[in-house]
Amino acid sequence: MAGYLKMVRLDYYTMKSQVIIYLTLAAIVMIFGFMGSSFMIMCITGSWFTALLSSNIFAIQEKNGLHRLYGSVSISLSNIIMGRYIFYIFSFAISFMIISIIYVFMILLENKALELLDILLGFSMSLLVYSLIIGIQVPMFFKMGYTKAKIWTMIPFVGILALLIIPSFTSVLSGVVETILSHQVFLVIGGFFISCAILFLSYRFSLFAYRRRE
Amino acid sequence: MTNHYLELNGVSKTFSGFKLDNISFSLPKGYIMGLVGTNGAGKTTTIQLILNMLKMDCGQIQIFGHDHVKYENVAKQHIGVVFDHVFYVDSWTVKDTERAISSFYHNWRHDVFNEMLRRFDLPLEKKVGELSRGMQMKLMLACAMSHDPKLLILDEPTSGLDPVSRDELLEMLQEYIQDGERSVLFSTHITSDLERIADYITFIHQGQNVYSGKMDDFLGRFRLIKGRHKELTSALQERIIGLRITNMGFEGLIDIKEATKYKHLVLDAASIDDIMIHIGKRK
């Protein structure tokens, strides 16, 4: 088994006790679904929730001194980082699957038609949101550890919320959103590739940060 | 494979407020080496440098005759590690712990692990966080020994263990090196454990290498000298390491070569503790 897959397996066991919390994801998504939210909104909410939950792995790592475990077993530093990112991607994939199943179930209940573009758009946009959160948080967690980094990881999101309060910014933003929504195929493809780029850059930053952490 | 499983040459590492300076020692195949020193002397830092958990500033570390960084993954297949505190997730059961860790080792032996659990009376379904300190230590030891490691690195494994568990652990380590193909690096500040089992000793004090070599040579190198106030001449005072003067008289450590000149005084064999305490007072 490749080193990064061993790390994914270790991360799975690390988060095993948290699985029950993930069930709340299904409940939240169902509430959004019953409220008549679009598939994209359901996916973005779900991915946000999953990304925030996933950061618990660093809390568990810190609480249990798992850096000593990583240091004692036969695994390279790059595989530790790569494995963590693959674990995050798996987490996203599972949450997307749960949301999709709930969505399909609701569509069948309501006798609506299933739009492939909606599904693709939901996937791409939620991946983008997820990658942004993960992409910013994970290098900080690797560099500073969970407790020290937790406050810092909030700053970019507080900054975005602050920008949204400014009326001139929101008018520009709504213009951008309207333009993008009129080019949905572009949004699907662009969102996917931008997400991949964010995750790749984030991986490189994490590797750099973890190598220098002592 | 080389005759020395572990070799450190001039290893240094500086932190703000502490420097591990020029540490050198070598651990031959088939022996147990004690790594001793007071709290904060640099024992754990040395172990973390060996395991490449910290980057050294200068020096060289070889494990099984190879560079410890270049051959890290290969070397760690043959190393078992136990730290002073458990480093598994507290919600894992004993069974989960094996599942989570076993995939990292090519030679993992499920039967050996089970045998160790039986021997230690460790229940498979009990969670790590629910185990006592001694049981957690035994679990770490079971994990460290289930992939047939050639080198065991133990960082303060006996601290917090009751005397019976400590005795069991020491017996196990003696059994472990019996075939002459395995070695143990054992860091501790409970030196009575080492007097029972260690063949070699490395003594670190305030980040400096005070001694590294055979245990018998280390113990034979000093005597504990005691006498009354009037017997403490200035010449003797200069020769005594870590002189302690009490109402009753004086006590200190003296080099065995110097001790022959003072046969009229009380000269006792020094224990590792005595040597550590008096050398500690000198610095």
Side-chain angles (χ1 to χ4, degrees), chain B residues 171-182:
Chain B
E171 260 180 38
M172 274 192 61
L173 294 179
Q174 277 171 326
E175 267 176 47
Y176 171 76
I177 58 150
Q178 252 175 10
D179 66 359
E181 291 296 317
R182 299 156 186 205

Side-chain angles (χ1 to χ4, degrees), chain B residues 134-276:
Chain B
M135 289 296 222
Q136 287 177 343
M137 192 55 68
K138 286 171 180 176
L139 175 61
M140 280 195 280
L141 207 60
C143 291
M145 294 176 93
S146 293
H147 57 281
D148 194 23
K150 296 276 176 215
L151 173 64
L152 265 186
I153 297 178
L154 315 174
D155 186 14
E156 304 273 4
T158 52
S159 60
L161 287 188
D162 60 74
V164 178
S165 302
R166 268 169 55 196
D167 188 65
E168 267 181 274
L169 173 66
L170 300 182
E171 260 180 38
M172 274 192 61
L173 294 179
Q174 277 171 326
E175 267 176 47
Y176 171 76
I177 58 150
Q178 252 175 10
D179 66 359
E181 291 296 317
R182 299 156 186 205
S183 299
V184 178
L185 179 69
F186 187 122
S187 134
T188 185
H189 59 264
I190 305 173
T191 53
S192 55
D193 295 341
L194 292 180
E195 280 167 12
R196 278 186 54 192
I197 62 161
D199 308 292
Y200 288 82
I201 189 163
T202 294
F203 175 25
I204 300 175
H205 183 67
Q206 291 177 344
Q208 307 266 335
N209 209 351
V210 176
Y211 175 86
S212 187
K214 286 186 177 167
M215 171 76 105
D216 295 340
D217 294 346
F218 181 63
L219 293 175
R221 201 170 137 184
F222 300 103
R223 286 288 179 269
L224 204 58
I225 188 164
K226 293 172 189 171
R228 284 170 293 185
H229 290 131
K230 64 178 181 185
E231 292 166 323
L232 182 64
T233 60
S234 57
L236 175 59
Q237 201 162 340
E238 275 174 26
R239 290 180 175 96
I240 290 180
I241 303 163
L243 176 67
R244 185 163 63 191
I245 299 172
T246 62
N247 291 338
M248 305 292 289
F250 70 91
E251 186 191 279
L253 206 63
I254 189 162
D255 194 293
I256 189 79
K257 289 173 202 155
E258 305 285 352
T260 50
K261 297 173 194 164
Y262 300 97
K263 281 185 175 168
H264 58 288
L265 298 177
V266 179
L267 290 167
D268 289 336
S271 66
I272 304 174
D273 267 350
D274 294 329
I275 299 170
M276 273 173 65

Side-chain angles (χ1 to χ4, degrees), chain A residues 1-59:
Chain A
M1 197 192 287
Y4 54 85
L5 290 180
K6 291 175 190 172
M7 189 62 200
V8 174
R9 186 183 149 107
L10 184 62
D11 279 351
Y12 160 73
Y13 278 104
T14 304
M15 289 292 276
K16 205 176 151 197
S17 63
Q18 306 271 309
V19 167
I20 197 82
I21 302 172
Y22 279 89
L23 292 179
T24 52
L25 166 71
I28 289 170
V29 170
M30 282 176 92
I31 292 166
F32 271 80
F34 284 122
M35 284 162 63
S37 302
S38 68
F39 181 65
M40 191 164 80
I41 297 295
M42 286 165 70
C43 286
I44 289 174
T45 310
S47 67
W48 184 287
F49 185 79
T50 309
L52 294 180
L53 268 184
S54 303
S55 67
N56 282 355
I57 196 163
F58 284 96

Side-chain angles (χ1 to χ4, degrees), chain A residues 1 3 5-7 9-10 12-17 60-61 63-77 79 211 213-214, chain B residues 13 15 48 51 53-55 72-74 76-77 79 81 83-92 96 98-106:
Chain A
M1 197 192 287
L5 290 180
K6 291 175 190 172
M7 189 62 200
R9 186 183 149 107
L10 184 62
Y12 160 73
Y13 278 104
T14 304
M15 289 292 276
K16 205 176 151 197
S17 63
I60 298 171
Q61 179 182 323
K63 184 186 166 210
N64 295 282
L66 294 188
H67 66 282
R68 287 180 298 174
L69 175 61
Y70 305 155
S72 66
V73 295
S74 173
I75 187 166
S76 68
L77 204 131
N79 278 335
R211 278 199 177 127
R213 182 187 169 183
E214 290 204 334
Chain B
K13 174 78 185 170
F15 300 97
Q48 288 184 333
L51 294 171
M53 292 166 75
L54 291 173
K55 304 269 175 262
E72 182 182 356
N73 284 352
V74 179
K76 282 182 178 174
Q77 286 291 339
I79 299 177
V81 182
F83 283 106
D84 54 345
H85 286 100
V86 73
F87 50 93
Y88 309 134
V89 179
D90 51 10
S91 61
W92 284 351
D96 286 338
E98 189 200 6
R99 284 179 184 155
I101 291 167
S102 58
S103 63
F104 288 97
Y105 298 103
H106 304 317

Side-chain angles (χ1 to χ4, degrees), chain B residues 15-30:
Chain B
F15 300 97
S16 58
F18 177 74
K19 186 178 183 189
L20 189 74
D21 193 21
N22 200 23
I23 301 294
S24 301
F25 62 82
S26 62
L27 170 58
K29 179 169 86 169

Side-chain angles (χ1 to χ4, degrees), chain A residues 195-208:
Chain A
S195 304
C196 293
I198 290 170
L199 287 175
F200 176 74
L201 283 175
S202 175
Y203 164 74
R204 301 297 302 179
F205 277 123
S206 292
L207 200 58
F208 180 79

